[in-house]
Amino acid sequence: MAKAGEVKLIGGWPSPFVMRPRIALNLKGVEYEFLEEKFGAKSELLLRSNPVHKKIPVLLHANRPVCESLVIVQYVDEAWPSSGPSILPSDPYDRATARFWAAYIDEKWFPSMSGIMRAQGEEAKKAAIDQVVEGLSLLEDTFGKISKGKPFFGGDTIGFLDIALGCFLGWLRVTEKTHGLKLLDEAKVPGLAKWAERFCADDAVKGVMPETEKLAEFAKLIMAKFKAPPPQ
Amino acid sequence: MGEELKLLGMWGSLFSRRVEMALKIKGVEYEYSEQEIFHNKSASLLKYNPVHKKVPVLIHNGKPIAESQVILEYIDDTWKDHPILPQDPYERAMARFWAKFLDEKCVPALWKACMSVGPEREKTQEEACELLSTLEGELKGKKFFGGENIGFVDIVADVLGYWVGVLQEAVGVDILTEDKFPVLCRWAEDFRNCPVVKENLPPRDRLLAFFITQSEMLNSLQQK
């Protein structure tokens, strides 16, 4: 067990990427100090700890920084191997499957979702929505195959892929609310819809998933930035 | 043994060659299947990588794995001799960080810098050089990113070890040069001289011709 003060996480409450290591640390029962960054200004500590990207989250373990959310999650899994459940599966093929879909989520699915928020004009918005829906349908299939009837992608407990996807549920709800959509539709993606409820209710997630209302307010702030037409 | 290992790859692809380097490090035998990657994708490729329809795909006892870095980790998880990733969790995190940096930032930036024309060129080249400076700094004092022997990051950095040199020549730009990046260039030479790399590089003149054709195609598209 880490002593308080030995583990710190630099982050911000609205960021789904920051949520990932928080869930991982919670699963492992590791105490940590949460260093909240002020929106719009980057702290000295952040710039020093992540000089390459200057982004959150950054984990500081005995003052050594680890950056990139999924790299941090894997680090937490490997640095505290005997605490809590395993986050990555133990079988090499299952691990590869989890990593493949996590990469898909980060490289394809999440950009398509933030594409809805940024779309200029109805046509562009519809195209972005279609992409997200298609992605969710693919993930629904994947959930069916990987979970094998268990509650999570990781089986009985939350695992790597649950964390990779689940962290976006807050933003997904804000997107649905803002645009009057039903993306996580029980009729179309029943497996994922139920999984989402279980994920958000889990002890490791409850305290770090922001309330939709609060997130929607925050979204209004940053949407103003995105919706401004690009300089010609 | 009863192991069936097949690689769907492409001779010129730096992603595909990474997997071959890793398999050679592990001393594992595999069947290689050359794929069409632009048109006429094979039924196999579409079946085993329906999500991205890209190479490389490793098929182990009938089960496919796609995405080169995912495949490298799978190979390391499955065959324990001659580890590719470090053992220590912090070192592993560093290796994964740099591998992500290479694929997410460096590869696209280098491609852009080499393929852009006109006023865009200066900016994209500057961006690529900035990224290379970061890597130059990371390498100082070490023979390879992996230490005494090549490892995960070195394999993922194959773009710098070989491909970018050929690409630069094809389009007539100077990004990775000895005067600007002496440490990286020294690393690149050591990298190319490793037996598992040397015997796995696509023939230079064939790759050069390939890049020249690609560049000409892109130029004609950009001018339309």
Side-chain angles (χ1 to χ4, degrees), chain A residues 50 52-53 64-68 71 74-75 78-79 92-93 95-96 99-101 103-104 107-108 138, chain B residues 49 51-52 63-67 70 73-74 77-78 89-90 92-94 96-98 100-101 105 134:
Chain A
N50 190 359
V52 177
H53 300 298
R64 292 200 299 186
V66 182
C67 309
E68 294 295 302
V71 174
Q74 290 181 89
Y75 174 75
E78 291 172 0
Y93 191 76
R95 289 159 76 86
R99 289 185 171 124
F100 173 87
W101 287 107
Y104 168 81
E107 284 160 35
K108 303 271 185 240
L138 196 54
Chain B
N49 191 2
V51 176
H52 302 296
K63 300 205 283 191
I65 305 113
E67 294 295 287
V70 175
E73 292 236 31
Y74 175 78
D77 280 343
T78 305
Y90 189 75
R92 288 163 78 84
M94 291 301 101
R96 287 174 178 139
F97 174 86
W98 289 111
K100 187 163 202 262
F101 176 78
K105 305 278 177 203
T134 304

Side-chain angles (χ1 to χ4, degrees), chain A residues 125-229:
Chain A
K125 194 168 105 172
K126 183 166 189 305
I129 294 167
D130 286 344
Q131 264 197 303
V132 172
V133 169
E134 207 183 299
L136 283 172
S137 166
L138 196 54
L139 290 164
E140 170 81 6
D141 271 345
T142 302
F143 179 70
K145 289 191 192 122
I146 293 181
S147 64
K148 301 186 187 102
K150 299 229 169 145
F152 298 107
F153 286 95
D156 291 312
T157 53
I158 285 177
F160 189 67
L161 193 46
D162 299 280
I163 294 174
L165 182 59
C167 68
F168 294 117
L169 288 170
W171 280 101
L172 187 67
R173 289 202 188 105
V174 169
T175 306
E176 288 179 326
K177 213 172 126 101
T178 310
H179 299 275
L181 300 165
K182 192 110 181 76
L183 295 167
L184 213 55
D185 189 345
E186 304 86 26
K188 299 205 182 123
V189 289
L192 281 184
K194 291 199 199 76
W195 162 84
E197 276 172 34
R198 289 191 293 267
F199 181 84
C200 294
D202 192 276
D203 282 336
V205 176
K206 260 189 332 221
V208 299
M209 177 70 79
E211 289 159 24
T212 311
E213 280 307 319
K214 213 178 160 195
L215 208 54
E217 280 304 311
F218 179 80
K220 283 199 189 111
L221 271 175
I222 53 175
M223 266 214 287
K225 256 206 233 167
F226 283 139
K227 285 255 181 219

Side-chain angles (χ1 to χ4, degrees), chain B residues 27-41:
Chain B
V28 175
E29 301 225 337
Y30 60 98
E31 183 198 331
Y32 178 79
S33 170
E34 178 70 22
Q35 298 293 308
E36 290 287 333
I37 60 168
F38 296 116
H39 315 285
N40 304 319
K41 294 185 181 187

Side-chain angles (χ1 to χ4, degrees), chain B:
Chain B
M1 264 239 279
E3 296 256 38
E4 221 182 64
L5 198 57
K6 188 172 182 178
L7 175 67
L8 305 181
M10 186 261 181
W11 68 271
S13 160
L14 62 92
F15 302 102
S16 177
R17 292 287 181 168
R18 289 175 182 174
V19 177
E20 298 202 77
M21 289 173 203
L23 291 170
K24 291 260 156 48
I25 288 173
K26 299 290 186 180
V28 175
E29 301 225 337
Y30 60 98
E31 183 198 331
Y32 178 79
S33 170
E34 178 70 22
Q35 298 293 308
E36 290 287 333
I37 60 168
F38 296 116
H39 315 285
N40 304 319
K41 294 185 181 187
S42 75
S44 249
L45 183 59
L46 300 175
K47 173 181 169 188
Y48 288 115
N49 191 2
V51 176
H52 302 296
K53 307 175 175 60
K54 286 181 168 179
V55 296
V57 183
L58 186 71
I59 308 161
H60 189 199
N61 295 328
K63 300 205 283 191
I65 305 113
E67 294 295 287
S68 65
Q69 286 196 30
V70 175
I71 299 172
L72 291 179
E73 292 236 31
Y74 175 78
I75 289 171
D76 213 34
D77 280 343
T78 305
W79 291 278
K80 298 295 191 181
D81 283 341
H82 311 289
I84 293 171
L85 275 152
Q87 305 291 64
D88 171 73
Y90 189 75
E91 298 303 314
R92 288 163 78 84
M94 291 301 101
R96 287 174 178 139
F97 174 86
W98 289 111
K100 187 163 202 262
F101 176 78
L102 277 156
D103 273 353
E104 205 168 89
K105 305 278 177 203
C106 298
V107 171
L110 286 165
W111 182 257
K112 242 172 142 178
C114 289
M115 291 306 182
S116 55
V117 287
E120 269 253 307
R121 227 181 203 199
E122 209 188 303
K123 179 168 175 252
T124 54
Q125 283 183 27
E126 239 176 69
E127 285 170 2
C129 284
E130 222 183 280
L131 296 169
L132 292 180
S133 296
T134 304
L135 285 167
E136 176 101 347
E138 175 56 22
L139 196 49
K140 278 207 175 70
K142 290 192 285 196
K143 179 163 193 210
F144 296 111
F145 290 100
E148 275 309 301
N149 299 306
I150 60 166
F152 191 65
V153 179
D154 302 277
I155 296 172
V156 173
D158 64 347
V159 60
L160 300 177
Y162 184 69
W163 273 259
V164 77
V166 185
L167 183 56
Q168 284 179 167
E169 192 184 319
V171 300
V173 304
D174 277 327
I175 301 174
L176 181 62
T177 58
E178 231 179 284
D179 54 295
K180 279 191 276 181
F181 303 106
V183 179
L184 271 177
C185 288
R186 188 271 312 152
W187 165 86
E189 209 184 313
D190 288 339
F191 175 77
R192 287 190 297 272
N193 284 324
C194 290
V196 299
V197 174
K198 212 173 188 163
E199 57 197 46
N200 257 316
L201 295 175
R204 203 173 197 282
D205 44 356
R206 196 176 170 199
L207 194 63
L208 186 66
F210 175 76
F211 281 147
I212 290 174
T213 311
Q214 290 253 283
S215 152
E216 285 171 354
M217 269 196 326
L218 271 165
N219 273 334
S220 69
L221 282 172
Q222 279 167 345
Q223 273 159 34
K224 283 209 173 89

